[in-house]
């Protein structure tokens, strides 16, 4: 008797081949048989009229902390995501000595916009090594986790505070290599580093102090294991991005490793730059290098209030300094001071004059301002006989900084250009940032948006190709064995969904973060059942079920994975 049989489904197996109708039988955590199955099962799912696909894989997340209080990485699992990759952008929660815990929390707060209070009230710090962290997150894990180890924390572990001041000497580099081996043996899928990020003091993160020799040495260790290197390049500059791409290519060729960089956005003002980057990607692949750009599916939306530092203000130094380092009282005083306010308004209008009128007021607390919710700042400014920037400041002061605004469709929103990029055979769909930027935008539902927008609305991709992009392609690039395809003998990570309705829901504001914190989320639409390692992990009817997640690729997996050509 089988443990579970999914009957009458349309099998979209992750290979890109045409879908077909069949049943899938599961025994334990593996797919036992695919075809017309007469045998009985302890549980059965009727998937008539539904697509049955491998579980989706999200390769760029920051669920490192959330996994400590939520082993399902809600709501990612409900969107059909069965495997997540945390630890990107040089930041992971291990290895980490006690002395540097708050330093790392500061970096997560600055870079990934994760609140201090969530760490204070949601995290019990009972680990230091990477192995101990893996043991910690295994408790109650409902989703598969393929964790990267961050370059910045390896530097902190070996060099202490000097990691934030200088390059490493040869002895320190050797120690870093040993620490990286320990992390890979404990289950890290690879190493992440960053060339752009800043800490809570607006100083470079530790990884940015590394020279080429240090990165080369760490890549040599990745070569021993066949593991991946992820970087955040200077994505705002095409020439610098191409230079980093070339650096990755040399490391890939020298050590036979896969590499990936993110993000890569296509906007109206950088189309030529993206084309140049992709042309160089093609050149490097022709040489035999594996340098995979990651591209997100969704347009760029940013929500913000004056109460929380927002990356939207990063180009306006005075604004960012006040909101990043000021107390609520200091922020309000700065905007109430007439001369200071005059200078701040001028700075905002000089930096992004066309943006402010289009911003929309999302929510307020006072009854008096409810009438403006849903309107743009341009509309509100007309009603109040002022300017959009002045209206934004006034509303923020009236709401004691708790007025929330939305900058929608800021970029990455050209259907033609984005769909062309997503379809490129060497583009890797990712960069969701799941678990991060929780008050700036919802990082959930990118997979639903892929199907709803690019497959269903635009007919820019076949269903089979879209599934392949977020399943077998990702598993191959990252070296995740026995997943990403519906094959007999493969691990049963499976999602059952309705191709006619799968989508992401509206962005909603919820209060479910430790420390009475809030975030923006999107619920899943059209996803009916999510199976992780053979067990039903989530259903639309019953919600979250038994925990079945695993840590991938597993301890001491010293194998060189096959990678997509």
């Amino acid at each position: 008797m089988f443990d579970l049989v999914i009957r009458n489904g349309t099998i979209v197996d992750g290979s890109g081949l045409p879908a077909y109708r069949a049943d899938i039988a599961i025994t334990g955590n593996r797919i036992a048989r695919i075809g017309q199955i007469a045998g009985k099962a302890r549980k059965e799912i009727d998937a008539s009229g539904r697509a049955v696909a491998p579980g989706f894989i999200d390769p760029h997340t920051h669920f490192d902390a959330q996994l400590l209080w939520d082993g399902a990485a809600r709501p990612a699992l409900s969107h059909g995501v069965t495997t997540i990759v945390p630890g990107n952008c040089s930041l992971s929660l291990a290895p980490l000595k006690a002395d540097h815990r708050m330093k790392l929390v500061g970096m997560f707060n600055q870079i990934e916009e994760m609140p201090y209070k969530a760490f204070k009230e949601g995290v019990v710090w009972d680990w230091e090594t990477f192995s101990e962290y893996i043991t910690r997150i295994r408790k109650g894990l409902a989703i598969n986790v393929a964790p990267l180890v961050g370059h910045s924390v390896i530097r902190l572990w070996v060099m202490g505070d000097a990691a934030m001041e200088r390059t490493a000497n040869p002895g320190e580099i050797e120690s870093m290599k040993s620490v990286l081996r320990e992390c890979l043996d404990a289950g890290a899928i690879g190493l992440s580093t960053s060339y752009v990020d800043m800490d809570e003091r607006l100083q470079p993160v530790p990884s940015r102090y590394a020279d080429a020799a240090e990165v080369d040495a760490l890549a040599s260790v990745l070569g021993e294991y066949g593991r991946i290197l992820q970087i955040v390049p200077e994505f705002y500059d095409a020439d610098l991005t191409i230079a980093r791409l070339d650096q990755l290519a040399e490391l890939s060729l020298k050590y036979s490793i896969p590499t990936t960089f993110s993000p890569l956005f296509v906007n109206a003002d950088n189309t030529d730059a993206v084309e140049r980057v992709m042309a160089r990607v093609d050149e490097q692949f022709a040489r035999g290098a594996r340098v995979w750009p990651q591209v997100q599916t969704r347009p760029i939306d940013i929500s913000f209030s004056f109460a929380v530092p927002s990356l939207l203000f990063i180009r306006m130094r005075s604004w960012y300094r006040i909101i990043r380092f000021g107390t609520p009282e200091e922020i309000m005083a700065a905007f109430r001071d007439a001369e200071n306010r005059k200078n701040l308004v001028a700075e905002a209008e000089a930096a992004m004059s066309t943006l402010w009128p289009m911003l929309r007021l999302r929510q307020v607390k006072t009854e008096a301002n409810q009438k403006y919710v849903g309107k743009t700042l341009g509309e509100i400014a007309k009603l109040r006989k002022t300017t959009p920037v002045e209206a934004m400041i006034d509303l923020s002061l009236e709401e004691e900084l708790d007025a929330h605004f939305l900058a929608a469709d800021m970029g990455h929103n050209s259907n033609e250009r984005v769909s062309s990029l997503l379809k490129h055979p060497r583009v890797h769909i990712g960069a969701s940032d799941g678990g991060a930027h929780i008050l700036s935008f919802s990082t959930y539902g990118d997979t639903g948006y892929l199907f709803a927008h690019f497959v269903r609305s635009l007919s820019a991709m076949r269903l089979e190709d879209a599934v392949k992009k977020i399943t077998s392609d990702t598993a191959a690039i990252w070296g995740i064995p026995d997943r990403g395809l519906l094959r007999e003998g493969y691990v049963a990570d499976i999602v059952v969904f309705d191709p006619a309705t799968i989508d992401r829901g509206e962005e909603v504001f919820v209060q479910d973060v430790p420390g009475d914190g809030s975030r923006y989320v999107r619920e899943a639409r059209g996803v009916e059942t999510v199976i992780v390692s053979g067990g039903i992990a989530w259903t639309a009817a019953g919600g979250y079920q038994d925990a079945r997640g695993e840590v991938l690729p597993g301890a001491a997996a010293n194998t060189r994975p096959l990678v997509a050509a």
Side-chain angles (χ1 to χ4, degrees):
M1 179 179 287
F2 301 112
D3 292 318
L4 177 64
V5 171
I6 304 170
R7 297 196 185 278
N8 308 314
T10 299
I11 308 301
V12 187
D13 66 6
S15 69
L17 293 172
Y20 59 95
R21 186 172 176 177
D23 307 327
I24 296 180
I26 298 167
T27 299
N29 71 339
R30 299 272 171 171
I31 297 172
R33 191 178 304 169
I34 301 176
Q36 301 303 312
I37 296 169
K40 294 182 179 181
R42 292 179 176 85
K43 291 183 181 179
E44 294 195 2
I45 296 172
D46 182 7
S48 299
R50 303 296 184 254
V52 181
F56 309 144
I57 303 172
D58 188 342
H60 190 111
T61 80
H62 295 280
F63 284 114
D64 311 68
Q66 185 175 330
L67 288 170
L68 296 167
W69 63 77
D70 170 22
R74 292 174 175 86
L77 186 64
S78 65
H79 287 275
V81 175
T82 57
T83 299
I84 56 173
V85 179
N88 284 275
C89 306
S90 91
L91 301 181
S92 59
L93 288 186
L96 183 66
K97 295 174 181 175
D99 289 348
H100 289 120
R101 286 170 180 164
M102 292 314 298
K103 177 65 187 176
L104 184 62
V105 170
M107 285 190 273
F108 267 97
N109 176 257
Q110 166 62 26
I111 300 163
E112 308 305 340
E113 300 180 292
M114 298 173 65
Y116 282 99
K117 203 170 181 182
F119 282 92
K120 181 179 179 181
E121 300 195 16
V123 175
V124 177
W125 297 93
D126 54 2
W127 74 89
E128 287 197 346
T129 68
F130 199 85
S131 178
E132 291 167 346
Y133 174 73
I134 294 300
T135 299
R136 175 72 171 79
I137 65 171
R138 277 198 172 106
K139 301 174 182 177
L141 199 61
I143 195 168
N144 298 318
V145 178
L148 289 161
V149 59
H151 186 186
S152 286
V153 294
I154 288 179
R155 291 191 108 241
L156 280 172
W157 182 272
V158 170
M159 299 175 64
D161 290 345
M164 300 172 280
E165 300 168 354
R166 61 172 174 83
T167 58
N169 61 44
E172 290 165 335
I173 291 175
E174 285 301 314
S175 294
M176 282 188 238
K177 289 170 66 177
S178 296
V179 173
L180 178 56
R181 287 190 188 97
E182 291 173 6
C183 296
L184 297 172
D185 286 335
I189 200 168
L191 174 74
S192 70
T193 195
S194 172
Y195 293 96
V196 300
D197 288 308
M198 300 180 295
D199 67 12
E200 75 284 2
R201 305 167 301 156
L202 304 186
Q203 298 301 307
V205 293
S207 66
R208 292 178 60 188
Y209 289 93
D211 59 16
E214 179 181 324
V215 176
D216 184 278
L218 294 173
S220 74
V221 175
L222 296 175
E224 298 170 12
Y225 292 74
R227 301 283 174 82
I228 197 166
L229 173 63
Q230 182 268 342
I231 76 161
V232 184
E234 297 88 339
F235 57 87
Y236 48 82
D237 185 296
D239 291 326
L240 290 174
T241 297
I242 289 170
R244 293 298 179 196
L245 191 162
D246 290 344
Q247 180 184 8
L248 285 180
E250 295 307 316
L251 295 172
S252 176
L253 290 167
K254 185 176 182 180
Y255 296 114
S256 299
I257 58 171
T259 66
T260 183
F261 66 95
S262 58
L264 180 63
F265 299 121
V266 56
N267 297 320
D269 60 352
N270 78 338
T271 302
D272 290 345
V274 171
E275 290 177 354
R276 289 176 56 210
V277 169
M278 290 309 303
R280 186 59 65 90
V281 167
D282 288 339
E283 290 174 18
Q284 295 294 6
F285 266 89
R287 296 176 63 217
R290 290 172 280 165
V291 185
W292 299 93
Q294 285 189 41
V295 177
Q296 70 182 45
T297 63
R298 69 179 185 272
I300 298 172
D301 299 333
I302 297 180
S303 296
F304 67 94
S305 74
F306 286 18
V308 179
S310 171
L311 295 178
L312 182 71
F313 298 129
I314 199 73
R315 293 166 55 188
M316 296 149 44
R317 293 188 178 183
S318 300
W319 285 66
Y320 195 76
R321 183 171 58 250
I322 290 167
I323 296 174
R324 181 72 184 85
F325 297 111
T327 64
E329 293 74 20
E330 289 168 341
I331 295 169
M332 288 190 285
F335 283 101
R336 282 176 176 144
D337 179 89
E339 187 63 27
N340 196 45
R341 175 169 172 154
K342 179 181 176 182
N343 293 332
L344 289 167
V345 169
E347 183 181 11
E349 290 178 343
M352 296 182 285
S353 60
T354 59
L355 173 68
W356 307 117
M358 299 185 296
L359 298 190
R360 197 169 295 277
L361 182 64
R362 296 195 73 161
Q363 67 181 60
V364 292
K365 286 192 172 181
T366 68
E367 186 61 34
N369 286 326
Q370 292 296 331
K371 60 188 175 185
Y372 299 121
V373 172
K375 297 184 184 299
T376 67
L377 284 179
E379 293 168 337
I380 296 170
K382 286 182 180 179
L383 292 170
R384 288 185 160 215
K385 296 181 172 53
T386 184
T387 68
V389 174
E390 295 277 11
M392 177 174 66
I393 295 172
D394 287 338
L395 287 166
S396 296
L397 292 174
E398 290 163 17
E399 298 294 325
E400 296 184 329
L401 308 184
D402 208 13
H404 294 252
F405 306 92
L406 171 65
D409 263 356
M410 292 184 66
H412 201 65
N413 54 0
S414 164
N415 288 334
E416 180 181 356
R417 291 168 180 157
V418 175
S419 60
S420 176
L421 199 55
L422 294 175
K423 290 189 293 184
H424 193 289
R426 290 176 179 132
V427 160
H428 176 201
I429 290 182
S432 81
D433 264 341
H437 307 291
I438 61 176
L439 286 173
S440 291
F441 46 83
S442 172
T443 53
Y444 318 100
D446 285 20
T447 49
Y449 186 75
L450 172 67
F451 294 113
H453 191 64
F454 295 100
V455 175
R456 201 164 61 239
S457 296
L458 299 179
S459 298
M461 300 175 74
R462 296 186 312 140
L463 175 67
E464 293 89 343
D465 293 331
V467 168
K468 179 176 182 288
K469 277 280 189 178
I470 56 176
T471 57
S472 65
D473 279 4
T474 314
I477 291 165
W478 286 77
I480 300 173
D482 298 338
R483 283 177 164 86
L485 288 166
L486 298 182
R487 292 282 189 273
E488 292 180 4
Y490 270 55
V491 176
D493 290 343
I494 299 173
V495 56
V496 180
F497 65 92
D498 183 352
T501 62
I502 187 171
D503 201 346
R504 59 178 190 170
E506 294 296 320
E507 193 170 72
V508 295
F509 193 71
V510 299
Q511 190 173 31
D512 65 355
V513 179
D516 297 322
S518 302
R519 60 176 177 156
Y520 288 104
V521 300
R522 293 181 186 269
E523 296 304 318
R525 291 180 179 170
V527 177
E528 298 191 357
T529 303
V530 181
I531 296 167
V532 177
S533 298
I536 297 175
W538 182 89
T539 68
Y544 293 89
Q545 313 289 317
D546 294 337
R548 296 291 295 265
E550 300 178 29
V551 175
L552 313 175
N558 295 356
T559 56
R560 290 177 183 260
L562 296 175
V563 231

